[in-house]
Amino acid sequence: MADIREWRGQPVVDEKGHRIGTLESVYVETSTDEPCFATVMTGMTKRRLAFVPLNGSVAGPGYLRVPYPKAKVKQAPAIGTDDILPATDEPEVFAYYELPYATGAGGERRLARR
């Protein structure tokens, strides 16, 4: 899934094929530069970028399917369309999806936007 960064603007759907939004950006693990989370543009009037893990995602013809229900992603931690995730908010994103979180050995942040 290393080419996921080229999918910006493609539809993101849940495990049942329901459209969640549009892929806006990819956050990578800083230690490996591997895609870890995507931000999905949601909302019609109040646009926001909701975070969703990329583990278990499948790229299909013209869409990215994530293994989470639409309702869960829509309630996920989010940032404004012009914002970047602050380092202090990283643990909340991981905790929402019940994923383990730890900073780098020197306290480095774990995610970087690409």
Side-chain angles (χ1 to χ4, degrees), residues 22-105:
T22 304
L23 181 67
E24 178 61 27
S25 64
V26 173
Y27 277 74
V28 299
E29 286 270 357
T30 55
S31 62
T32 64
D33 205 39
E34 289 294 317
C36 184
F37 279 87
T39 56
V40 180
M41 176 79 71
T42 63
M44 295 297 281
T45 56
K46 186 178 179 190
R47 296 178 109 23
R48 61 196 274 280
L49 301 175
F51 284 84
V52 63
L54 289 170
N55 59 322
S57 297
V58 175
Y63 66 87
L64 176 67
R65 182 181 316 238
V66 295
Y68 299 95
K70 179 178 181 175
K72 183 161 185 80
V73 176
K74 291 226 174 207
Q75 296 300 315
I79 56 176
T81 56
D82 294 324
D83 298 336
I84 294 175
L85 180 69
T88 55
D89 292 353
E90 286 184 1
E92 177 188 359
V93 173
F94 281 79
Y96 180 78
Y97 290 100
E98 300 178 6
L99 298 171
Y101 177 81
T103 59

